[in-house]
Coordinates of all heavy atoms in Angstrom, one line a residue:
M372 N 6.8 3.4 -4.9 CA 5.8 3.0 -3.9 C 4.4 3.5 -4.4 O 4.3 4.4 -5.2 CB 6.1 3.8 -2.6 CG 5.1 3.5 -1.5 SD 5.8 3.9 0.1 CE 4.7 3.1 1.1
L373 N 3.4 2.8 -3.9 CA 2.0 3.1 -4.2 C 1.5 4.2 -3.3 O 1.9 4.3 -2.2 CB 1.1 1.9 -4.1 CG 1.3 0.8 -5.1 CD1 0.5 -0.4 -4.7 CD2 1.0 1.2 -6.5
Y374 N 0.7 5.1 -3.9 CA 0.0 6.2 -3.1 C -1.4 6.2 -3.5 O -1.8 6.0 -4.6 CB 0.7 7.5 -3.5 CG 2.1 7.6 -3.0 CD1 3.1 7.2 -3.9 CD2 2.5 8.0 -1.8 CE1 4.5 7.2 -3.5 CE2 3.8 8.0 -1.3 CZ 4.8 7.6 -2.2 OH 6.1 7.6 -1.8
A375 N -2.2 6.4 -2.4 CA -3.7 6.6 -2.6 C -4.0 8.1 -2.7 O -3.5 8.9 -1.8 CB -4.4 6.0 -1.4
I376 N -4.7 8.5 -3.7 CA -5.1 9.9 -3.9 C -6.6 9.9 -3.7 O -7.4 9.3 -4.5 CB -4.7 10.4 -5.3 CG1 -3.2 10.4 -5.4 CG2 -5.3 11.8 -5.5 CD1 -2.7 10.6 -6.9
V377 N -7.1 10.5 -2.6 CA -8.5 10.5 -2.3 C -9.0 11.9 -2.4 O -8.6 12.8 -1.7 CB -8.8 9.9 -0.8 CG1 -10.2 9.9 -0.5 CG2 -8.1 8.5 -0.7
A378 N -10.0 12.1 -3.3 CA -10.5 13.4 -3.6 C -11.9 13.5 -3.2 O -12.7 12.6 -3.5 CB -10.3 13.8 -5.0
E379 N -12.3 14.6 -2.6 CA -13.7 14.9 -2.3 C -14.2 16.0 -3.3 O -13.5 17.0 -3.5 CB -13.9 15.4 -0.9 CG -13.4 14.4 0.2 CD -14.4 13.2 0.2 OE1 -15.6 13.3 0.0 OE2 -13.9 12.1 0.5
D380 N -15.4 15.8 -3.9 CA -15.9 16.8 -4.8 C -16.6 18.0 -4.1 O -17.2 17.8 -3.0 CB -16.9 16.2 -5.8 CG -16.2 15.3 -6.9 OD1 -15.0 15.1 -6.8 OD2 -17.0 14.9 -7.8
N381 N -16.5 19.1 -4.7 CA -17.4 20.3 -4.3 C -18.8 19.9 -4.6 O -19.1 19.2 -5.6 CB -17.0 21.5 -5.1 CG -15.8 22.2 -4.5 OD1 -15.8 22.5 -3.3 ND2 -14.7 22.4 -5.3
P382 N -19.7 20.4 -3.8 CA -21.2 20.2 -4.1 C -21.5 20.8 -5.5 O -20.9 21.8 -5.9 CB -21.9 21.0 -3.0 CG -20.9 21.2 -1.9 CD -19.5 21.2 -2.6
N383 N -22.4 20.2 -6.1 CA -22.9 20.7 -7.4 C -21.8 20.8 -8.5 O -21.9 21.7 -9.3 CB -23.7 22.0 -7.3 CG -24.8 21.9 -6.3 OD1 -25.6 20.9 -6.3 ND2 -24.9 22.7 -5.3
S384 N -20.9 19.9 -8.5 CA -19.8 20.0 -9.5 C -19.9 19.0 -10.6 O -18.9 18.9 -11.4 CB -18.4 19.8 -8.7 OG -18.4 18.5 -8.1
L385 N -21.0 18.4 -10.8 CA -21.2 17.3 -11.8 C -20.9 17.9 -13.2 O -20.2 17.2 -14.0 CB -22.6 16.7 -11.7 CG -22.8 15.6 -12.7 CD1 -21.8 14.5 -12.6 CD2 -24.2 15.0 -12.5
E386 N -21.5 19.0 -13.5 CA -21.3 19.5 -14.9 C -19.8 19.9 -15.1 O -19.3 19.6 -16.2 CB -22.2 20.7 -15.1 CG -23.6 20.4 -15.3 CD -23.9 19.3 -16.4 OE1 -23.3 19.4 -17.5 OE2 -24.7 18.4 -16.1
L387 N -19.2 20.5 -14.2 CA -17.7 20.8 -14.3 C -16.9 19.5 -14.4 O -16.0 19.4 -15.2 CB -17.3 21.6 -13.1 CG -15.9 22.1 -13.1 CD1 -15.6 22.9 -14.4 CD2 -15.6 22.9 -11.9
R388 N -17.3 18.5 -13.7 CA -16.7 17.2 -13.7 C -16.8 16.6 -15.1 O -15.8 16.1 -15.7 CB -17.3 16.2 -12.7 CG -16.7 14.8 -12.7 CD -17.4 13.9 -11.7 NE -16.8 13.8 -10.5 CZ -15.8 13.0 -10.2 NH1 -15.4 12.1 -11.1 NH2 -15.2 12.9 -9.0
K389 N -18.0 16.7 -15.7 CA -18.2 16.1 -17.1 C -17.4 16.9 -18.1 O -16.8 16.3 -19.0 CB -19.7 16.3 -17.4 CG -20.6 15.3 -16.7 CD -22.1 15.5 -17.1 CE -23.0 14.6 -16.4 NZ -24.4 14.9 -16.8
Q390 N -17.3 18.2 -18.0 CA -16.5 19.0 -18.9 C -15.0 18.7 -18.8 O -14.3 18.7 -19.8 CB -16.7 20.5 -18.6 CG -18.1 21.0 -18.9 CD -18.3 22.4 -18.3 OE1 -17.3 23.1 -18.0 NE2 -19.5 22.8 -18.3
T391 N -14.5 18.4 -17.6 CA -13.1 18.2 -17.4 C -12.7 16.7 -17.6 O -11.5 16.4 -17.7 CB -12.8 18.7 -16.0 OG1 -13.4 20.0 -15.8 CG2 -11.3 18.8 -15.8
R392 N -13.6 15.8 -17.6 CA -13.3 14.4 -17.6 C -12.4 13.9 -18.7 O -11.4 13.1 -18.4 CB -14.6 13.6 -17.7 CG -14.5 12.1 -17.5 CD -15.8 11.4 -17.4 NE -15.6 10.0 -16.9 CZ -15.7 9.0 -17.8 NH1 -16.1 9.2 -19.0 NH2 -15.5 7.8 -17.3
P393 N -12.5 14.4 -20.0 CA -11.5 13.9 -21.0 C -10.1 14.2 -20.6 O -9.2 13.3 -20.8 CB -12.0 14.6 -22.3 CG -13.4 14.9 -22.0 CD -13.6 15.2 -20.6
A394 N -9.8 15.3 -20.1 CA -8.4 15.7 -19.7 C -8.0 14.8 -18.5 O -6.8 14.4 -18.5 CB -8.3 17.2 -19.4
H395 N -8.9 14.6 -17.6 CA -8.6 13.8 -16.4 C -8.2 12.4 -16.9 O -7.2 11.8 -16.4 CB -9.8 13.9 -15.5 CG -9.7 12.9 -14.3 ND1 -8.9 13.1 -13.2 CD2 -10.4 11.7 -14.1 CE1 -9.0 12.1 -12.4 NE2 -9.9 11.3 -12.9
L396 N -9.1 11.8 -17.7 CA -8.9 10.4 -18.2 C -7.6 10.3 -19.0 O -6.9 9.3 -18.9 CB -10.1 10.0 -19.0 CG -11.4 9.8 -18.3 CD1 -12.5 9.3 -19.2 CD2 -11.2 8.8 -17.1
Q397 N -7.2 11.3 -19.7 CA -6.0 11.3 -20.5 C -4.8 11.2 -19.6 O -3.8 10.4 -19.9 CB -5.9 12.6 -21.3 CG -4.7 12.6 -22.3 CD -4.7 13.8 -23.1 OE1 -5.3 14.9 -22.8 NE2 -4.0 13.8 -24.2
R398 N -4.8 11.8 -18.5 CA -3.7 11.7 -17.5 C -3.6 10.3 -16.9 O -2.6 9.8 -16.6 CB -3.8 12.8 -16.4 CG -3.5 14.2 -16.9 CD -3.5 15.2 -15.8 NE -2.2 15.2 -15.2 CZ -2.0 15.1 -13.9 NH1 -3.0 15.0 -13.0 NH2 -0.8 15.2 -13.4
L399 N -4.8 9.8 -16.6 CA -4.9 8.4 -16.0 C -4.4 7.4 -17.0 O -3.7 6.5 -16.7 CB -6.3 8.1 -15.5 CG -6.8 8.9 -14.3 CD1 -8.3 8.6 -14.1 CD2 -6.0 8.5 -13.1
Q400 N -4.8 7.6 -18.3 CA -4.3 6.7 -19.3 C -2.8 6.7 -19.4 O -2.2 5.6 -19.7 CB -4.9 7.1 -20.7 CG -4.6 6.1 -21.8 CD -5.2 4.7 -21.5 OE1 -6.4 4.5 -21.2 NE2 -4.3 3.6 -21.5
A401 N -2.2 7.9 -19.3 CA -0.7 7.9 -19.3 C -0.1 7.1 -18.2 O 0.9 6.3 -18.4 CB -0.2 9.4 -19.2
L402 N -0.7 7.2 -17.0 CA -0.2 6.3 -15.8 C -0.4 4.8 -16.2 O 0.4 4.0 -15.9 CB -1.0 6.6 -14.6 CG -0.6 7.9 -13.8 CD1 -1.5 8.1 -12.6 CD2 0.8 7.9 -13.4
Q403 N -1.6 4.5 -16.8 CA -1.9 3.1 -17.2 C -0.9 2.6 -18.2 O -0.3 1.5 -18.1 CB -3.3 3.0 -17.7 CG -3.7 1.7 -18.2 CD -3.9 0.7 -17.1 OE1 -4.2 1.1 -16.0 NE2 -3.8 -0.6 -17.4
D404 N -0.6 3.5 -19.2 CA 0.4 3.1 -20.2 C 1.8 2.8 -19.7 O 2.5 2.0 -20.2 CB 0.4 4.2 -21.3 CG -0.9 4.2 -22.1 OD1 -1.7 3.3 -22.0 OD2 -1.0 5.3 -22.8
E405 N 2.1 3.6 -18.6 CA 3.4 3.4 -18.0 C 3.4 2.2 -17.0 O 4.5 2.0 -16.3 CB 3.8 4.7 -17.2 CG 4.0 5.9 -18.2 CD 4.1 7.2 -17.5 OE1 4.1 7.2 -16.2 OE2 4.1 8.2 -18.2
G406 N 2.3 1.6 -16.8 CA 2.2 0.5 -15.8 C 2.2 0.9 -14.4 O 2.5 0.1 -13.5
R407 N 1.8 2.1 -14.1 CA 1.9 2.7 -12.8 C 0.5 2.8 -12.1 O 0.4 3.1 -10.9 CB 2.5 4.1 -12.8 CG 4.0 4.0 -13.3 CD 4.6 5.3 -13.5 NE 4.3 6.3 -12.5 CZ 4.2 7.6 -12.8 NH1 4.5 8.1 -13.9 NH2 3.9 8.5 -11.8
L408 N -0.6 2.6 -12.8 CA -1.9 2.7 -12.3 C -2.5 1.4 -11.8 O -2.6 0.4 -12.5 CB -2.9 3.3 -13.3 CG -4.3 3.6 -12.9 CD1 -4.3 4.7 -11.8 CD2 -5.1 4.0 -14.1
L409 N -2.8 1.4 -10.5 CA -3.4 0.2 -9.9 C -4.9 0.2 -10.0 O -5.5 -0.8 -10.5 CB -3.0 0.0 -8.4 CG -3.5 -1.2 -7.7 CD1 -2.8 -2.4 -8.3 CD2 -3.1 -1.1 -6.2
L410 N -5.5 1.3 -9.7 CA -7.0 1.5 -9.9 C -7.3 2.9 -9.8 O -6.6 3.8 -9.3 CB -7.7 0.7 -8.8 CG -7.6 1.1 -7.3 CD1 -8.6 2.1 -7.0 CD2 -7.8 -0.1 -6.5
A411 N -8.5 3.2 -10.4 CA -9.0 4.6 -10.4 C -10.5 4.6 -10.6 O -10.9 3.8 -11.4 CB -8.3 5.5 -11.4
G412 N -11.2 5.5 -10.0 CA -12.6 5.6 -10.2 C -13.3 6.6 -9.3 O -12.7 6.9 -8.3
P413 N -14.5 6.9 -9.6 CA -15.3 7.9 -8.8 C -16.1 7.2 -7.8 O -16.3 6.0 -7.8 CB -16.2 8.6 -9.8 CG -16.5 7.5 -10.8 CD -15.2 6.7 -10.9
H414 N -16.5 8.0 -6.8 CA -17.5 7.5 -5.7 C -18.9 8.0 -6.1 O -19.1 9.2 -6.0 CB -17.1 8.1 -4.4 CG -15.7 7.7 -3.9 ND1 -15.4 6.4 -3.5 CD2 -14.6 8.4 -3.9 CE1 -14.1 6.3 -3.1 NE2 -13.6 7.5 -3.4
P415 N -19.8 7.2 -6.6 CA -21.1 7.6 -6.9 C -21.8 8.2 -5.6 O -21.6 7.7 -4.5 CB -21.8 6.4 -7.4 CG -20.7 5.5 -7.8 CD -19.6 5.8 -6.9
A416 N -22.6 9.2 -5.8 CA -23.3 9.8 -4.7 C -24.5 9.0 -4.2 O -24.9 9.2 -3.0 CB -23.8 11.2 -5.1
V417 N -24.9 8.0 -5.0 CA -26.0 7.1 -4.6 C -25.5 5.7 -4.8 O -24.5 5.5 -5.6 CB -27.3 7.4 -5.3 CG1 -27.8 8.8 -4.9 CG2 -27.1 7.3 -6.8
D418 N -26.1 4.7 -4.3 CA -25.8 3.3 -4.4 C -26.2 2.8 -5.8 O -27.2 2.0 -5.9 CB -26.3 2.5 -3.3 CG -25.8 1.1 -3.2 OD1 -24.8 0.8 -3.9 OD2 -26.4 0.3 -2.5
A419 N -25.5 3.2 -6.8 CA -25.9 2.8 -8.2 C -24.6 2.9 -9.1 O -23.8 3.8 -8.9 CB -27.0 3.7 -8.7
E420 N -24.5 2.0 -10.0 CA -23.4 2.1 -11.0 C -23.4 3.4 -11.7 O -22.4 4.0 -11.9 CB -23.6 0.9 -12.0 CG -22.4 0.7 -12.9 CD -21.1 0.1 -12.2 OE1 -21.3 -0.5 -11.1 OE2 -20.0 0.4 -12.7
D421 N -24.6 3.9 -12.2 CA -24.7 5.1 -12.8 C -25.6 6.0 -11.9 O -26.8 5.8 -11.8 CB -25.4 5.0 -14.2 CG -25.6 6.3 -14.9 OD1 -25.2 7.4 -14.4 OD2 -26.1 6.3 -16.0
P422 N -25.0 7.0 -11.2 CA -25.7 7.8 -10.3 C -26.6 8.9 -10.9 O -27.4 9.6 -10.2 CB -24.7 8.5 -9.4 CG -23.5 8.6 -10.4 CD -23.6 7.3 -11.2
G423 N -26.5 9.0 -12.3 CA -27.4 10.0 -13.0 C -27.1 11.4 -12.4 O -26.0 11.8 -12.1
P424 N -28.2 12.2 -12.2 CA -28.0 13.6 -11.8 C -27.5 13.7 -10.4 O -27.0 14.8 -10.0 CB -29.4 14.2 -11.9 CG -30.3 13.0 -11.9 CD -29.6 11.9 -12.5
A425 N -27.5 12.6 -9.6 CA -26.9 12.7 -8.2 C -25.4 12.9 -8.3 O -24.8 13.5 -7.4 CB -27.2 11.4 -7.4
G426 N -24.8 12.4 -9.3 CA -23.4 12.7 -9.5 C -22.5 11.9 -8.6 O -22.8 10.7 -8.3
F427 N -21.4 12.5 -8.3 CA -20.3 11.8 -7.5 C -19.9 12.6 -6.3 O -20.1 13.9 -6.3 CB -19.1 11.5 -8.5 CG -19.5 10.7 -9.7 CD1 -19.9 11.3 -10.9 CD2 -19.5 9.3 -9.6 CE1 -20.2 10.6 -12.0 CE2 -19.8 8.6 -10.7 CZ -20.2 9.2 -11.9
T428 N -19.3 12.0 -5.4 CA -18.8 12.7 -4.2 C -17.3 12.8 -4.2 O -16.8 13.5 -3.3 CB -19.3 12.0 -2.9 OG1 -18.7 10.6 -2.9 CG2 -20.8 11.9 -2.8
G429 N -16.6 12.2 -5.1 CA -15.2 12.3 -5.1 C -14.6 11.1 -6.0 O -15.3 10.5 -6.7
S430 N -13.3 10.9 -5.8 CA -12.6 9.9 -6.6 C -11.5 9.2 -5.8 O -11.0 9.8 -4.8 CB -11.9 10.5 -7.8 OG -12.9 11.2 -8.6
L431 N -11.1 8.1 -6.2 CA -9.9 7.4 -5.6 C -9.0 6.9 -6.8 O -9.5 6.4 -7.8 CB -10.4 6.1 -4.9 CG -9.3 5.2 -4.4 CD1 -8.4 5.8 -3.4 CD2 -10.0 3.9 -3.8
I432 N -7.7 7.2 -6.6 CA -6.7 6.8 -7.5 C -5.6 6.1 -6.7 O -5.2 6.7 -5.6 CB -6.1 7.9 -8.3 CG1 -7.1 8.6 -9.1 CG2 -4.9 7.5 -9.1 CD1 -6.7 10.0 -9.7
V433 N -5.2 4.9 -7.1 CA -4.0 4.3 -6.4 C -3.0 4.1 -7.5 O -3.3 3.3 -8.5 CB -4.4 3.0 -5.7 CG1 -3.1 2.4 -5.1 CG2 -5.4 3.2 -4.6
A434 N -1.9 4.7 -7.4 CA -0.9 4.6 -8.5 C 0.5 4.7 -7.9 O 0.7 5.1 -6.7 CB -1.0 5.7 -9.5
E435 N 1.5 4.3 -8.7 CA 2.9 4.3 -8.3 C 3.6 5.6 -8.6 O 3.4 6.1 -9.8 CB 3.6 3.1 -8.9 CG 5.1 3.0 -8.5 CD 5.8 1.8 -9.2 OE1 5.1 1.0 -9.8 OE2 7.0 1.8 -9.1
F436 N 4.3 6.1 -7.6 CA 5.0 7.4 -7.8 C 6.4 7.2 -7.1 O 6.5 6.4 -6.2 CB 4.3 8.6 -7.3 CG 3.0 8.9 -8.0 CD1 1.8 8.5 -7.6 CD2 3.1 9.7 -9.1 CE1 0.6 8.8 -8.2 CE2 1.9 10.0 -9.8 CZ 0.7 9.6 -9.4
P437 N 7.4 7.9 -7.6 CA 8.7 7.8 -6.9 C 8.7 8.3 -5.5 O 9.6 7.9 -4.7 CB 9.7 8.6 -7.8 CG 8.9 9.2 -8.9 CD 7.4 8.8 -8.7
S438 N 7.8 9.2 -5.1 CA 7.8 9.7 -3.7 C 6.5 10.4 -3.4 O 5.7 10.6 -4.3 CB 8.9 10.8 -3.6 OG 8.6 11.9 -4.3
L439 N 6.2 10.6 -2.2 CA 5.0 11.3 -1.8 C 5.0 12.7 -2.4 O 3.9 13.1 -2.8 CB 5.0 11.4 -0.2 CG 3.8 12.1 0.4 CD1 2.5 11.5 0.0 CD2 3.9 12.2 1.9
A440 N 6.1 13.4 -2.4 CA 6.1 14.7 -3.0 C 5.7 14.7 -4.5 O 4.9 15.6 -4.9 CB 7.5 15.4 -2.9
V441 N 6.2 13.7 -5.2 CA 5.8 13.6 -6.7 C 4.3 13.3 -6.8 O 3.6 13.8 -7.6 CB 6.7 12.6 -7.4 CG1 6.2 12.3 -8.8 CG2 8.1 13.1 -7.4
A442 N 3.8 12.4 -5.9 CA 2.4 12.0 -6.0 C 1.5 13.3 -5.7 O 0.5 13.5 -6.3 CB 2.1 10.9 -5.0
C443 N 1.9 14.1 -4.7 CA 1.2 15.3 -4.3 C 1.2 16.3 -5.5 O 0.2 16.9 -5.8 CB 1.8 15.9 -3.1 SG 1.4 15.0 -1.6
E444 N 2.4 16.4 -6.2 CA 2.4 17.3 -7.3 C 1.5 16.9 -8.4 O 0.8 17.7 -9.1 CB 3.9 17.4 -7.8 CG 4.8 18.2 -6.9 CD 6.3 18.0 -7.3 OE1 6.6 17.6 -8.5 OE2 7.2 18.4 -6.5
W445 N 1.5 15.5 -8.7 CA 0.7 15.0 -9.7 C -0.8 15.3 -9.4 O -1.6 15.7 -10.3 CB 0.9 13.5 -9.9 CG 0.2 12.9 -11.0 CD1 0.7 12.7 -12.3 CD2 -1.1 12.4 -11.1 NE1 -0.2 12.1 -13.1 CE2 -1.4 11.9 -12.4 CE3 -2.2 12.3 -10.2 CZ2 -2.6 11.4 -12.8 CZ3 -3.4 11.7 -10.5 CH2 -3.6 11.3 -11.9
A446 N -1.2 15.0 -8.2 CA -2.6 15.3 -7.7 C -3.0 16.7 -7.9 O -4.1 17.1 -8.3 CB -2.8 14.8 -6.3
A447 N -2.1 17.6 -7.5 CA -2.3 19.1 -7.5 C -2.5 19.6 -9.0 O -3.2 20.6 -9.2 CB -1.2 19.8 -6.9
S448 N -1.9 18.9 -9.9 CA -2.1 19.3 -11.3 C -3.1 18.5 -12.1 O -3.3 18.8 -13.3 CB -0.7 19.3 -12.0 OG -0.2 17.9 -12.1
D449 N -3.9 17.7 -11.4 CA -4.9 17.0 -12.1 C -6.0 17.9 -12.6 O -6.3 18.9 -11.9 CB -5.6 16.0 -11.1 CG -6.6 15.1 -11.8 OD1 -6.3 14.1 -12.5 OD2 -7.8 15.5 -11.8
P450 N -6.5 17.7 -13.8 CA -7.5 18.7 -14.3 C -8.7 18.9 -13.4 O -9.3 20.0 -13.3 CB -7.9 18.0 -15.6 CG -6.7 17.3 -16.1 CD -6.1 16.8 -14.8
Y451 N -9.2 17.9 -12.7 CA -10.3 18.1 -11.8 C -9.9 19.1 -10.6 O -10.7 19.9 -10.3 CB -10.7 16.7 -11.1 CG -11.6 15.8 -12.0 CD1 -11.8 14.5 -11.6 CD2 -12.1 16.3 -13.2 CE1 -12.6 13.7 -12.4 CE2 -12.9 15.4 -14.0 CZ -13.1 14.1 -13.5 OH -13.9 13.3 -14.3
Q452 N -8.7 18.9 -10.2 CA -8.3 19.8 -9.1 C -8.1 21.3 -9.6 O -8.6 22.2 -9.0 CB -6.9 19.3 -8.5 CG -6.3 20.2 -7.4 CD -7.2 20.2 -6.1 OE1 -8.1 19.4 -5.9 NE2 -6.8 21.1 -5.3
V453 N -7.5 21.4 -10.8 CA -7.2 22.7 -11.4 C -8.6 23.4 -11.7 O -8.7 24.6 -11.5 CB -6.4 22.6 -12.6 CG1 -6.2 23.9 -13.4 CG2 -5.0 22.0 -12.3
A454 N -9.5 22.6 -12.2 CA -10.8 23.2 -12.6 C -11.8 23.5 -11.4 O -12.7 24.2 -11.5 CB -11.5 22.3 -13.5
G455 N -11.4 23.0 -10.2 CA -12.3 23.3 -9.1 C -13.3 22.2 -8.8 O -14.2 22.4 -8.0
V456 N -13.2 21.0 -9.4 CA -14.2 19.9 -9.1 C -14.0 19.5 -7.7 O -14.9 19.3 -6.9 CB -14.0 18.7 -10.1 CG1 -14.8 17.5 -9.7 CG2 -14.3 19.2 -11.5
H457 N -12.7 19.4 -7.3 CA -12.4 18.8 -5.9 C -12.3 19.9 -4.9 O -11.8 21.0 -5.1 CB -11.0 18.1 -5.9 CG -11.1 16.9 -6.8 ND1 -10.0 16.4 -7.5 CD2 -12.0 16.0 -7.1 CE1 -10.3 15.3 -8.1 NE2 -11.5 15.0 -7.9
S458 N -12.9 19.7 -3.7 CA -12.8 20.6 -2.6 C -11.6 20.2 -1.7 O -11.0 21.1 -1.0 CB -14.0 20.6 -1.8 OG -14.3 19.3 -1.2
C459 N -11.2 18.9 -1.7 CA -10.1 18.5 -0.8 C -9.5 17.2 -1.4 O -10.2 16.4 -2.0 CB -10.8 18.1 0.5 SG -9.6 17.4 1.7
V460 N -8.2 17.2 -1.4 CA -7.5 16.0 -1.9 C -6.4 15.6 -0.9 O -5.7 16.4 -0.4 CB -6.7 16.3 -3.2 CG1 -5.9 15.1 -3.7 CG2 -7.7 16.7 -4.3
T461 N -6.5 14.3 -0.5 CA -5.5 13.7 0.4 C -4.7 12.7 -0.3 O -5.2 11.9 -1.1 CB -6.3 13.0 1.6 OG1 -7.1 13.9 2.2 CG2 -5.3 12.4 2.6
V462 N -3.4 12.8 -0.1 CA -2.4 11.8 -0.8 C -1.6 11.2 0.3 O -1.1 11.9 1.2 CB -1.5 12.6 -1.8 CG1 -0.6 11.6 -2.4 CG2 -2.3 13.4 -2.8
K463 N -1.6 9.8 0.3 CA -0.9 9.1 1.4 C -0.3 7.8 0.8 O -0.9 7.3 -0.1 CB -1.7 9.0 2.6 CG -3.0 8.3 2.5 CD -3.8 8.3 3.8 CE -5.2 8.0 3.6 NZ -5.9 8.1 4.9
P464 N 0.7 7.3 1.4 CA 1.3 6.0 1.0 C 0.3 4.9 1.1 O -0.6 5.0 2.0 CB 2.5 5.8 1.9 CG 2.8 7.2 2.4 CD 1.5 7.9 2.5
F465 N 0.3 4.0 0.3 CA -0.6 2.8 0.2 C 0.2 1.5 0.1 O 1.1 1.4 -0.8 CB -1.6 3.0 -0.9 CG -2.5 1.9 -1.1 CD1 -3.7 1.8 -0.3 CD2 -2.3 0.8 -2.0 CE1 -4.6 0.8 -0.4 CE2 -3.2 -0.2 -2.1 CZ -4.4 -0.2 -1.3
K466 N -0.1 0.6 0.9 CA 0.6 -0.7 0.9 C -0.4 -1.8 0.4 O -1.3 -2.1 1.2 CB 1.2 -1.1 2.2 CG 2.0 -2.4 2.1 CD 2.6 -2.8 3.4 CE 3.3 -4.1 3.3 NZ 4.0 -4.5 4.5
K467 N -0.2 -2.3 -0.8 CA -1.1 -3.3 -1.3 C -0.7 -4.7 -0.6 O 0.4 -5.1 -0.6 CB -1.0 -3.5 -2.8 CG -1.9 -4.5 -3.4 CD -1.7 -4.6 -4.9 CE -2.5 -5.8 -5.4 NZ -2.2 -6.1 -6.8
V468 N -1.7 -5.3 0.0 CA -1.6 -6.6 0.7 C -2.2 -7.7 -0.2 O -1.6 -8.7 -0.5 CB -2.1 -6.6 2.1 CG1 -2.1 -8.0 2.7 CG2 -1.4 -5.6 3.0
Y469 N -3.4 -7.4 -0.7 CA -4.1 -8.4 -1.6 C -4.4 -7.7 -2.9 O -4.7 -6.5 -2.9 CB -5.3 -8.9 -1.0 CG -5.1 -9.8 0.2 CD1 -5.3 -9.4 1.5 CD2 -4.7 -11.1 0.0 CE1 -5.1 -10.2 2.6 CE2 -4.4 -12.0 1.1 CZ -4.7 -11.5 2.4 OH -4.5 -12.3 3.5

């Protein structure tokens, strides 16, 4: 089943996000390689493709996992979460219609 992982960033976490990004992307690439990643990306803090120093307010990942418990475990071990970029992460089932 698909699950949406919605993460909110801590204030002023842009530098930490930048430092942790390679490890975060490596995990996403593994999901992509397994054919389990539907989409992933950050929420810019301003209405711009590149928010510059404004940074990001969080991220969205939609991917396939065997269960909600497994999706929650995956989200909890994400490098952004472990490093303290995220202040809050919500994981819930997602049903793709279109």
Side-chain angles (χ1 to χ4, degrees):
M372 178 161 195
L373 292 172
Y374 294 90
I376 301 169
V377 183
E379 298 293 328
D380 284 9
N381 278 305
N383 304 311
S384 61
L385 181 58
E386 288 307 314
L387 186 56
R388 178 183 264 273
K389 288 178 181 179
Q390 294 168 12
T391 314
R392 188 169 190 257
H395 171 75
L396 292 179
Q397 186 176 21
R398 290 185 84 230
L399 290 174
Q400 187 62 54
L402 286 178
Q403 179 71 23
D404 292 347
E405 295 167 6
R407 297 172 41 208
L408 183 63
L409 184 64
L410 63 90
H414 300 285
V417 295
D418 189 13
E420 189 72 24
D421 179 0
F427 301 93
T428 61
S430 302
L431 170 65
I432 298 167
V433 179
E435 184 179 347
F436 293 95
S438 68
L439 178 59
V441 172
C443 289
E444 288 172 14
W445 188 92
S448 62
D449 184 83
Y451 282 169
Q452 179 68 12
V453 173
V456 173
H457 295 149
S458 62
C459 174
V460 177
T461 302
V462 182
K463 53 187 167 182
F465 178 83
K466 181 177 178 181
K467 181 181 176 187
V468 175
Y469 292 103

